[in-house]
Amino acid sequence: MKIATTLFTYNRSYHTEKVISGLKRNTMLPLKLYVFQDGLREEDDICEWKKVNALIHAIDWCDKEVNVSNENKGLANSILSGINYVFNDYDAVIVLEDDCVPTPNYIDFMTQCFEKYVNDERIYSISGYSYPFALNKGQYDIYGCGRISSWGWGTWKDRWNIYRKDYELVKKMKRDKIASKILATWGRDLEEMLVGNVRGTCDSWAVFWALNVISKGGICINPYESLIQNIGLDGSGTHCGITNQYDVSCMDEKKCIFSLPDVVTILDETVEAFAPLFGSYTAINTSKNKERILVYGVGNYFLKNEKPLNQDYYIEKFVDRYKNGYYAGKEIISPNELRQFSFEKIIVMIQDENESAKVVRDLTMQYGISRDKIESGTARYS
C-alpha cells in the first residue's frame, strides 16, 4: 500500500517546528512527505509566514514535496485540495495540521492500522489522538468510535470518496428515527458548526467528514493512549480559542508493534464516555423503569440540562411548535398532536419565564392538558 504523509501549514512557526521535529523522531519515516503552505492572507502575517516557509524548505531527512499556494485558500479549501492532490498517486494519506505534534511511534501506528483494516469498509478514519475520557483498556491498543478526529488522522482513498459538502445532511438525518439517534450520539455539536460555516464564523472541512461518516454508521479508530498532542488551543489559530479541555497524556513507552483486533466494534462504554463531549444523554438513556415523560422544547435550554433531565426521567417524545422529525431517536410532535398520546408528565424546557408561562397557559387552555401534568423546567433545573 502506498501511504503518504501530509502537513498543512500557514504562519505558526513555533507550532510547525514542533510538528516537524515530532515527525523527524518517528522510527518509520513517511514514504513521502507533502507539505502545503497556504498563501498569505494579510501583510501582518508575513513575518511568521516567511519563518514557516523557511522551516518546511529546510526539511532534508525524508523525501518531500513542498507546495506553496499563490493565494489564500483558507483552512478548509487548503486541506481538501491537498488531500485530493495526494490521492492522485497514493492509496492512503496521513494528515497533520501545524499544531498536531506526533509521538515517535505515530507513523508506525497509522501504517499498521491502514494495512490491518484496508478491507474493512466499516472503518472510515484512523486518528492518533485519543479523546480525553477514561476507558478501560483491554488487550488491544485501540478502540472503535463513531466520531472522526481531525487531529493527526488518516484515511484510505476509497473511504474518502464519500466526502460531500452536503449542507442538507443534518436535516435529512433528523427526519429518520435511527439516523437521528446516531447523529445525536456522535455529533451533537455538528449542526451549530454547520451554521457557523454558512455564517462565515467557521471554516471547517471536518464537519462534513464527520457527518458523512456518521450518516454511514461508520467506525473510527483511536488509540487508548494518545499519539498526538494538540498544541494549538492557545489562541494562536484562526478558529481555535484557549482551552485545556482536550489536553491528553501521550504514550511514553517506545512501541513499534501495536495490538490490533481482527474485528473493531464500538463498545457501550465508549458511547457513554462520549456523551459529555459531543454526544447525547437522551440517545443513550435506556432506563425505561424511570418515569416516562414528554419534553416541550428542543432548544439550548434543553441541551444545557439534558444530562440531569435524563438522570431523572425517560423521554418518550419531544413537543415543539417549530420543529419536527426526530431528536436522538425521539419523535418531535406538535402541540396539536398531544391528545393522541397518554403521558404522566410534560416538562416545559424554555428558559424565558414569560415564554414558559405562556406555553403552560396554551397547554392547559388551548390543548386541554391538566395543569397537574405540566412542570416548568426552570423551576427544577435553574
Side-chain angles (χ1 to χ4, degrees):
M1 190 189 309
K2 293 178 63 180
I3 304 170
T5 302
T6 59
L7 171 59
F8 291 88
T9 68
Y10 177 54
N11 74 329
R12 294 194 286 182
S13 63
Y14 169 81
H15 302 75
T16 301
E17 185 174 20
K18 292 288 187 184
V19 177
I20 292 173
S21 296
L23 268 177
K24 186 177 180 179
R25 290 194 300 269
N26 268 256
T27 53
M28 178 186 289
L29 296 181
L31 181 62
K32 188 171 184 177
L33 176 63
Y34 288 82
V35 187
F36 297 89
Q37 185 180 23
D38 201 4
L40 197 62
R41 181 174 59 242
E42 52 191 53
E43 285 301 313
D44 288 347
D45 296 340
I46 194 166
C47 182
E48 278 293 302
W49 188 93
K50 285 183 175 180
K51 289 181 181 179
V52 170
N53 191 265
L55 282 171
I56 60 180
H57 278 96
I59 295 172
D60 59 1
W61 40 267
C62 70
D63 186 17
K64 76 173 190 294
E65 179 181 318
V66 175
N67 294 271
V68 180
S69 176
N70 293 323
E71 59 179 354
N72 184 262
K73 298 177 180 179
L75 176 64
N77 288 331
S78 179
I79 289 179
L80 292 178
S81 62
I83 291 174
N84 290 330
Y85 172 77
V86 172
F87 269 139
N88 287 325
D89 297 309
Y90 288 84
D91 306 308
V93 63
I94 295 169
V95 182
L96 287 165
E97 294 182 40
D98 63 1
D99 54 7
C100 296
V101 181
T103 62
N105 40 20
Y106 168 72
I107 297 293
D108 280 317
F109 171 79
M110 296 295 290
T111 301
Q112 288 168 41
C113 287
F114 278 141
E115 293 174 348
K116 177 79 173 180
Y117 302 114
V118 62
N119 295 317
D120 191 339
E121 295 181 352
R122 302 170 309 132
I123 299 173
Y124 283 84
S125 187
I126 300 165
S127 176
Y129 176 76
S130 183
Y131 286 105
F133 47 61
L135 294 175
N136 296 315
K137 182 182 177 183
Q139 67 184 104
Y140 300 111
D141 291 315
I142 65 168
Y143 62 89
C145 185
R147 174 68 174 263
I148 65 103
S149 169
S150 60
W151 295 348
W153 68 284
T155 190
W156 301 265
K157 183 176 181 178
D158 62 339
R159 315 309 202 269
W160 183 248
N161 286 337
I162 71 164
Y163 187 93
R164 299 288 185 278
K165 273 188 158 185
D166 186 352
Y167 281 90
E168 299 296 314
L169 194 50
V170 168
K171 290 182 180 178
K172 294 173 187 175
M173 295 180 74
K174 283 185 164 186
R175 296 189 194 112
D176 181 83
K177 181 176 182 178
I178 296 175
S180 71
K181 184 175 182 178
I182 298 172
L183 173 63
T185 301
W186 300 111
R188 173 173 44 84
D189 60 317
L190 294 177
E191 184 171 14
E192 183 178 350
M193 198 180 300
L194 205 61
V195 171
N197 268 20
V198 174
R199 291 176 176 171
T201 58
C202 178
D203 182 25
S204 173
W205 62 270
V207 62
F208 297 104
W209 183 223
L211 285 171
N212 279 284
V213 172
I214 290 171
S215 71
K216 299 290 184 182
I219 297 175
C220 307
I221 287 175
N222 299 80
Y224 279 101
E225 296 179 85
S226 191
L227 306 172
I228 290 289
Q229 184 71 58
N230 189 310
I231 61 171
L233 301 175
D234 55 359
S236 62
T238 304
H239 304 288
C240 300
I242 302 174
T243 180
N244 61 2
Q245 182 181 357
Y246 305 105
D247 288 355
V248 291
S249 298
C250 289
M251 180 181 288
D252 291 328
E253 65 177 300
K254 182 66 176 175
K255 191 166 190 173
C256 296
I257 304 298
F258 291 86
S259 179
L260 307 175
D262 291 333
V263 178
V264 181
T265 58
I266 299 176
L267 302 177
D268 291 342
E269 177 192 11
T270 307
V271 176
E272 293 173 6
F274 197 80
L277 285 177
F278 307 117
S280 164
Y281 292 98
T282 304
I284 65 173
N285 184 358
T286 59
S287 303
K288 294 189 177 182
N289 58 327
K290 296 178 181 178
E291 185 177 2
R292 305 160 84 89
I293 63 165
L294 304 184
V295 170
Y296 193 108
V298 201
N300 290 332
Y301 187 66
F302 162 74
L303 293 175
K304 179 181 177 182
N305 294 283
E306 186 177 10
K307 180 179 181 179
L309 191 62
N310 277 278
Q311 289 174 334
D312 296 337
Y313 302 105
Y314 178 82
I315 301 172
E316 291 273 18
K317 297 179 186 295
F318 290 96
V319 185
D320 201 285
R321 285 180 293 180
Y322 307 109
K323 299 178 181 179
N324 53 37
Y326 296 86
Y327 172 76
K330 311 293 183 178
E331 185 181 12
I332 304 173
I333 63 174
S334 72
N336 293 322
E337 299 175 89
L338 281 170
R339 294 188 181 92
Q340 302 174 24
F341 304 100
S342 59
F343 58 91
E344 295 300 318
K345 182 187 293 185
I346 180 169
I347 298 183
V348 179
M349 295 299 293
I350 297 176
Q351 187 167 10
D352 185 278
E353 293 187 3
N354 291 329
E355 179 64 20
S356 179
K358 181 179 183 302
V359 168
V360 172
R361 287 196 302 271
D362 289 346
L363 289 174
T364 54
M365 300 177 65
Q366 185 174 347
Y367 302 106
I369 307 301
S370 173
R371 182 64 183 83
D372 59 9
K373 285 190 171 186
I374 307 172
E375 182 178 333
S376 168
T378 54
R380 188 177 184 92
Y381 297 111
S382 61

